[in-house]
Amino acid sequence: MPSADHDLGPQDLDVPAKTVTKEPLDRSPEHAEPSRFIPHVQGLRAIAVLCVVLYHFWPARFPGGYIGVDIFFVISGFLITAHLMRELTATGTVRLGQFWARRARRLLPASLLVLLFCAIVVMSPYLMPTSALPNEVREILASTFYVENWYLALNSADYLNHSGDPTTVQHYWSLSLEEQFYVMWPLLMLLAAWIGVKWFRGARRRAVLVTLGIVSVASFAFCVVFTMTDPAPAYFVTFGRMWQFGVGAMIALVPLLRVRNAAASFVLGWAGVLVLVYVTFTFDGQTPFPGYMAALPTLGAAAVIAASNTERWWYPTRILALRPAQFVGDISYSLYLWHWPLIVIAPSVPFWGLTIYHRVALLGICFVLAWLTKRFVEDPVRGWKVLTSRRARVTLWSSLAAMIVVGLVAGTAWLVNAPLYNAGTRDIQQLQENPPECFGAASVLDPSCDSTDFGATILPAPGFAGIDRPSDEQCFVQLTDARPVSCTFGSDEPDAPRVALIGDSHAYQLLSTFQRMADENGWQLVTWFKGACPWNTTPLATPGAFGDACTQWRDGVQTALADADIDAVFTAAIATTPYSAAGYDSSFDAAVAGYRDAWSTVIDRGIPVVTVVDNPVWETDPNKCLRTRDVAECDAPRSDVLVADDPLRAAASGLEHVTLLDFTDVFCETDSCSPVVGGANVYRDQDHLTVTFADTLAPWYTESIESALSTRIAP
């Protein structure tokens, strides 16, 4: 998160106490210290924010751009520690109320403005799907009160909550974490200074250095271990990031780390820049992060800060001080705040597309909004005399009042749209209980429905498709959870046929449909689901705890299957799962072999397997397009959304006792695929089917399973 502090630097540690301008203790000293500005640190902010923004606009081209946030953490640790240490040295204490008031005046105005904008957007069903309303309101509230990182940490273990699009304020996690740093860091330094005075003969600086060093080492160890054991929440947890602030703090506290030698500064600075460029283009979503890999961008940023010599124009300190870099650094905070909500909202705006020209135009709009916010919000509010001339608590109480106002607006967004949300939920339930004739897949697969035309009908409506999902989430194992959780539905009769439904989220998306099928046909349905972990014996290419958990889950499922009395197995999986190619010519061959190996454990017992070719996977949720455009305008080229070589199809081909279902012709025509089939809205996000559409495939699922049950070979 870009900090808004632009006037602090390492020089703060070297200024004698007599140069400090003292303010009355009951005032909020906006300008209590002489302004100190470090141009190359401001330029480093430009690198950081551009990494994040370009990553969000073009994730495939800048796959490691998320490291920009790590750069900001190092910068904040450096600047804030320098400021606090200078005050401690000069006065023996830190006036916490004034420190926090200053942070509030600098950070809250722009932050709350963007949150207010997001809360107003959420009120409009034309700009935001109604199905997203609960998550949006919850996260706006969490962001307003600076606990968004903890909200995401607690919910990141839910694979389902992150299978679709994130909210407009998800990027506030880093702002929340940094605000927590602003609360804890001065308290730590005060405690260390007190210890230094009481037990170490007044050695405040040494006590602070040792304390922050211990905290940083412990935080790094915690980060590495937590990333290996539970990577999703590890990304957001505050203590797992403290070491990055600590690295910046060490540069501020140890003068020897600020390199002024010309040659050393030149080499160190450019090495840091090259490291940041390298990780931006080589890190990606599969990198175990933060963990030990976060040390690269963290140390790269630290190297740039530490390089202090400015003698030659070709030194990084001088290049980063050029006006373009300074301008981007100046607006970095507002640019960070604005860019993400606009990316989320833009596809829902009428007449707006996702072409390269639209993206570039949107990027330009982000820069304009950031400059306007800096010019007319950040700077003026920071110097408001009505706040700076009064006690610190005036600023703090005013900040709390402003936060409450934003929270009330977000709550109003829920109150205004809750009736519509509840009505949409009821409409979906009624639709599933009583669908129209020749609806959905039947319009393609049922010969008697050739002449059916639903016109512009889309059911469920695009604004509600996101909530049309299975409800038994307790049956779905997520992320690093390796437990082979099983659920049972349908008939309790001892002689009822037992059908197993196994796989990843593309198997779980069929759960509600299969529950109805089990009830109607007298089966007992047994399930095993794990997010992003198909029923396959080939290890995932995903490193770390998630890949290990998938392997353990599969082993547990195989053990459970070996002990279970099953009559047929149905499995499904997303075709884009990354498999390890170890021991095979390609990851495709490895995936095919893994499917066959997993299936053989039941086929060898005479239990038939039914599987299905994966549905198309879209780049973004097609409901964004459907809310503002005609259905025909939302079609996608078949080659863009359909995996040509689904390893599951190849695995089933020619294999005895395996039935392969292929509904590709339902989703797609010769050259294109549509998000609406026979009036049914096919997708609830970019790759998962709505329950409503899955239900329209039930007759063909039922037929294949009944056929498989009839061929079951008695043990």
Short mmCIF file of all heavy atoms in Angstrom, two decimals, residues 231-264:
data_model
loop_
_atom_site.label_atom_id
_atom_site.label_comp_id
_atom_site.label_asym_id
_atom_site.label_seq_id
_atom_site.Cartn_x
_atom_site.Cartn_y
_atom_site.Cartn_z
N PRO A 231 -0.73 -21.12 2.97
CA PRO A 231 -0.29 -19.96 2.19
C PRO A 231 -1.33 -18.87 1.97
O PRO A 231 -0.98 -17.70 1.89
CB PRO A 231 0.14 -20.57 0.85
CG PRO A 231 -0.58 -21.88 0.78
CD PRO A 231 -0.68 -22.37 2.18
N ALA A 232 -2.60 -19.24 1.86
CA ALA A 232 -3.60 -18.21 1.54
C ALA A 232 -3.72 -17.15 2.64
O ALA A 232 -3.54 -15.96 2.37
CB ALA A 232 -4.95 -18.87 1.26
N PRO A 233 -4.00 -17.53 3.89
CA PRO A 233 -4.05 -16.50 4.93
C PRO A 233 -2.69 -15.89 5.24
O PRO A 233 -2.60 -14.74 5.69
CB PRO A 233 -4.62 -17.23 6.15
CG PRO A 233 -4.36 -18.66 5.90
CD PRO A 233 -4.41 -18.84 4.42
N ALA A 234 -1.61 -16.64 4.98
CA ALA A 234 -0.27 -16.11 5.25
C ALA A 234 -0.01 -14.84 4.46
O ALA A 234 0.77 -13.98 4.89
CB ALA A 234 0.79 -17.17 4.92
N TYR A 235 -0.64 -14.71 3.32
CA TYR A 235 -0.44 -13.53 2.49
C TYR A 235 -0.94 -12.26 3.17
O TYR A 235 -0.42 -11.17 2.94
CB TYR A 235 -1.15 -13.73 1.15
CG TYR A 235 -0.76 -12.74 0.09
CD1 TYR A 235 0.38 -12.95 -0.67
CD2 TYR A 235 -1.51 -11.60 -0.15
CE1 TYR A 235 0.77 -12.04 -1.65
CE2 TYR A 235 -1.13 -10.69 -1.13
CZ TYR A 235 0.00 -10.92 -1.87
OH TYR A 235 0.37 -10.01 -2.83
N PHE A 236 -1.95 -12.39 4.04
CA PHE A 236 -2.62 -11.22 4.60
C PHE A 236 -2.32 -10.95 6.07
O PHE A 236 -2.58 -9.85 6.55
CB PHE A 236 -4.14 -11.40 4.45
CG PHE A 236 -4.61 -11.63 3.05
CD1 PHE A 236 -5.10 -12.87 2.65
CD2 PHE A 236 -4.57 -10.62 2.12
CE1 PHE A 236 -5.53 -13.09 1.36
CE2 PHE A 236 -4.99 -10.82 0.82
CZ PHE A 236 -5.48 -12.06 0.43
N VAL A 237 -1.81 -11.94 6.79
CA VAL A 237 -1.66 -11.82 8.24
C VAL A 237 -0.59 -10.78 8.58
O VAL A 237 0.50 -10.78 8.02
CB VAL A 237 -1.32 -13.18 8.86
CG1 VAL A 237 -0.88 -13.03 10.30
CG2 VAL A 237 -2.53 -14.10 8.77
N THR A 238 -0.90 -9.92 9.52
CA THR A 238 -0.05 -8.77 9.85
C THR A 238 1.34 -9.19 10.29
O THR A 238 2.34 -8.68 9.78
CB THR A 238 -0.72 -7.92 10.94
OG1 THR A 238 -2.03 -7.56 10.51
CG2 THR A 238 0.08 -6.67 11.21
N PHE A 239 1.44 -10.09 11.25
CA PHE A 239 2.75 -10.43 11.79
C PHE A 239 3.65 -11.07 10.74
O PHE A 239 4.87 -10.95 10.80
CB PHE A 239 2.63 -11.35 13.00
CG PHE A 239 3.94 -11.55 13.72
CD1 PHE A 239 4.57 -10.49 14.35
CD2 PHE A 239 4.55 -12.80 13.74
CE1 PHE A 239 5.79 -10.67 14.99
CE2 PHE A 239 5.77 -12.99 14.38
CZ PHE A 239 6.39 -11.91 15.01
N GLY A 240 3.06 -11.74 9.77
CA GLY A 240 3.85 -12.34 8.70
C GLY A 240 4.48 -11.33 7.76
O GLY A 240 5.33 -11.68 6.94
N ARG A 241 4.09 -10.06 7.88
CA ARG A 241 4.64 -9.01 7.03
C ARG A 241 5.50 -8.01 7.80
O ARG A 241 6.12 -7.13 7.19
CB ARG A 241 3.49 -8.24 6.36
CG ARG A 241 2.66 -9.10 5.40
CD ARG A 241 3.42 -9.39 4.13
NE ARG A 241 2.56 -9.94 3.09
CZ ARG A 241 2.83 -9.88 1.79
NH1 ARG A 241 3.93 -9.28 1.38
NH2 ARG A 241 2.01 -10.41 0.92
N MET A 242 5.54 -8.10 9.13
CA MET A 242 6.27 -7.12 9.91
C MET A 242 7.75 -7.07 9.55
O MET A 242 8.39 -6.03 9.65
CB MET A 242 6.11 -7.44 11.40
CG MET A 242 4.77 -7.04 12.01
SD MET A 242 4.49 -5.25 12.06
CE MET A 242 3.39 -5.04 10.67
N TRP A 243 8.33 -8.19 9.16
CA TRP A 243 9.76 -8.21 8.85
C TRP A 243 10.10 -7.32 7.66
O TRP A 243 11.22 -6.79 7.58
CB TRP A 243 10.23 -9.64 8.59
CG TRP A 243 9.65 -10.28 7.36
CD1 TRP A 243 8.45 -10.91 7.25
CD2 TRP A 243 10.26 -10.34 6.05
NE1 TRP A 243 8.26 -11.37 5.96
CE2 TRP A 243 9.36 -11.03 5.21
CE3 TRP A 243 11.45 -9.88 5.53
CZ2 TRP A 243 9.63 -11.26 3.86
CZ3 TRP A 243 11.74 -10.11 4.18
CH2 TRP A 243 10.83 -10.80 3.37
N GLN A 244 9.13 -7.13 6.74
CA GLN A 244 9.41 -6.27 5.60
C GLN A 244 9.51 -4.80 6.03
O GLN A 244 10.35 -4.06 5.53
CB GLN A 244 8.33 -6.46 4.54
CG GLN A 244 8.35 -7.88 3.96
CD GLN A 244 7.27 -8.10 2.92
OE1 GLN A 244 6.08 -8.01 3.21
NE2 GLN A 244 7.69 -8.40 1.70
N PHE A 245 8.65 -4.40 6.96
CA PHE A 245 8.80 -3.07 7.56
C PHE A 245 10.12 -3.00 8.32
O PHE A 245 10.80 -1.97 8.32
CB PHE A 245 7.64 -2.79 8.51
CG PHE A 245 6.29 -2.70 7.84
CD1 PHE A 245 5.44 -3.80 7.82
CD2 PHE A 245 5.87 -1.54 7.24
CE1 PHE A 245 4.21 -3.74 7.22
CE2 PHE A 245 4.62 -1.46 6.64
CZ PHE A 245 3.79 -2.56 6.63
N GLY A 246 10.46 -4.12 8.98
CA GLY A 246 11.69 -4.16 9.76
C GLY A 246 12.94 -3.99 8.92
O GLY A 246 13.92 -3.37 9.36
N VAL A 247 12.94 -4.52 7.70
CA VAL A 247 14.09 -4.34 6.81
C VAL A 247 14.30 -2.85 6.51
O VAL A 247 15.42 -2.33 6.56
CB VAL A 247 13.91 -5.14 5.51
CG1 VAL A 247 14.95 -4.75 4.47
CG2 VAL A 247 13.99 -6.64 5.80
N GLY A 248 13.21 -2.17 6.22
CA GLY A 248 13.32 -0.72 6.01
C GLY A 248 13.77 -0.01 7.27
O GLY A 248 14.56 0.95 7.22
N ALA A 249 13.30 -0.49 8.41
CA ALA A 249 13.67 0.14 9.68
C ALA A 249 15.17 0.01 9.94
O ALA A 249 15.81 0.94 10.46
CB ALA A 249 12.89 -0.51 10.82
N MET A 250 15.77 -1.13 9.59
CA MET A 250 17.19 -1.31 9.81
C MET A 250 18.02 -0.29 9.03
O MET A 250 19.04 0.21 9.51
CB MET A 250 17.62 -2.73 9.42
CG MET A 250 17.04 -3.84 10.30
SD MET A 250 17.46 -3.67 12.06
CE MET A 250 15.87 -3.14 12.73
N ILE A 251 17.60 0.04 7.82
CA ILE A 251 18.32 1.04 7.04
C ILE A 251 18.23 2.40 7.71
O ILE A 251 19.18 3.19 7.71
CB ILE A 251 17.75 1.11 5.61
CG1 ILE A 251 17.84 -0.25 4.93
CG2 ILE A 251 18.50 2.15 4.78
CD1 ILE A 251 17.15 -0.30 3.58
N ALA A 252 17.08 2.68 8.32
CA ALA A 252 16.90 3.96 9.00
C ALA A 252 17.72 4.03 10.29
O ALA A 252 18.21 5.10 10.66
CB ALA A 252 15.42 4.17 9.31
N LEU A 253 17.89 2.91 10.97
CA LEU A 253 18.52 2.90 12.29
C LEU A 253 20.03 2.70 12.24
O LEU A 253 20.74 3.08 13.18
CB LEU A 253 17.90 1.81 13.15
CG LEU A 253 16.42 2.00 13.54
CD1 LEU A 253 15.90 0.77 14.26
CD2 LEU A 253 16.25 3.23 14.41
N VAL A 254 20.54 2.09 11.18
CA VAL A 254 21.97 1.78 11.09
C VAL A 254 22.61 2.63 10.00
O VAL A 254 22.44 2.35 8.80
CB VAL A 254 22.20 0.28 10.80
CG1 VAL A 254 23.70 -0.03 10.77
CG2 VAL A 254 21.49 -0.58 11.83
N PRO A 255 23.33 3.68 10.35
CA PRO A 255 23.91 4.58 9.34
C PRO A 255 24.80 3.86 8.34
O PRO A 255 24.86 4.25 7.16
CB PRO A 255 24.71 5.58 10.19
CG PRO A 255 24.03 5.57 11.53
CD PRO A 255 23.57 4.16 11.72
N LEU A 256 25.48 2.80 8.77
CA LEU A 256 26.38 2.09 7.85
C LEU A 256 25.64 1.45 6.68
O LEU A 256 26.24 1.16 5.64
CB LEU A 256 27.16 1.01 8.62
CG LEU A 256 28.26 1.52 9.57
CD1 LEU A 256 28.87 0.36 10.32
CD2 LEU A 256 29.32 2.30 8.81
N LEU A 257 24.35 1.22 6.86
CA LEU A 257 23.58 0.60 5.77
C LEU A 257 23.17 1.60 4.70
O LEU A 257 22.67 1.20 3.66
CB LEU A 257 22.32 -0.07 6.36
CG LEU A 257 22.56 -1.27 7.28
CD1 LEU A 257 21.23 -1.82 7.79
CD2 LEU A 257 23.34 -2.35 6.55
N ARG A 258 23.38 2.89 4.96
CA ARG A 258 23.08 3.90 3.94
C ARG A 258 24.38 4.20 3.20
O ARG A 258 25.24 4.95 3.68
CB ARG A 258 22.48 5.14 4.59
CG ARG A 258 21.17 4.82 5.31
CD ARG A 258 20.42 6.07 5.66
NE ARG A 258 21.07 6.87 6.69
CZ ARG A 258 21.00 6.64 8.00
NH1 ARG A 258 20.30 5.60 8.44
NH2 ARG A 258 21.61 7.44 8.86
N VAL A 259 24.53 3.59 2.04
CA VAL A 259 25.80 3.57 1.31
C VAL A 259 25.99 4.88 0.55
O VAL A 259 25.21 5.20 -0.36
CB VAL A 259 25.83 2.38 0.33
CG1 VAL A 259 27.15 2.36 -0.44
CG2 VAL A 259 25.64 1.07 1.09
N ARG A 260 27.05 5.61 0.88
CA ARG A 260 27.33 6.88 0.22
C ARG A 260 28.55 6.81 -0.71
O ARG A 260 28.78 7.74 -1.48
CB ARG A 260 27.52 7.97 1.27
CG ARG A 260 26.21 8.31 2.00
CD ARG A 260 26.40 9.47 2.96
NE ARG A 260 25.10 9.91 3.49
CZ ARG A 260 24.50 9.39 4.55
NH1 ARG A 260 25.07 8.38 5.17
NH2 ARG A 260 23.34 9.85 4.97
N ASN A 261 29.29 5.73 -0.63
CA ASN A 261 30.41 5.54 -1.56
C ASN A 261 29.87 5.48 -2.98
O ASN A 261 28.90 4.77 -3.26
CB ASN A 261 31.16 4.26 -1.21
CG ASN A 261 32.25 3.94 -2.22
OD1 ASN A 261 31.99 3.28 -3.22
ND2 ASN A 261 33.46 4.42 -1.95
N ALA A 262 30.49 6.20 -3.90
CA ALA A 262 29.95 6.35 -5.25
C ALA A 262 29.80 5.01 -5.96
O ALA A 262 28.72 4.67 -6.47
CB ALA A 262 30.84 7.29 -6.06
N ALA A 263 30.88 4.25 -6.04
CA ALA A 263 30.83 2.98 -6.78
C ALA A 263 29.88 1.99 -6.12
O ALA A 263 29.06 1.35 -6.80
CB ALA A 263 32.23 2.39 -6.88
N ALA A 264 29.96 1.87 -4.81
CA ALA A 264 29.09 0.92 -4.10
C ALA A 264 27.63 1.31 -4.23
O ALA A 264 26.75 0.46 -4.41
CB ALA A 264 29.49 0.84 -2.63
#
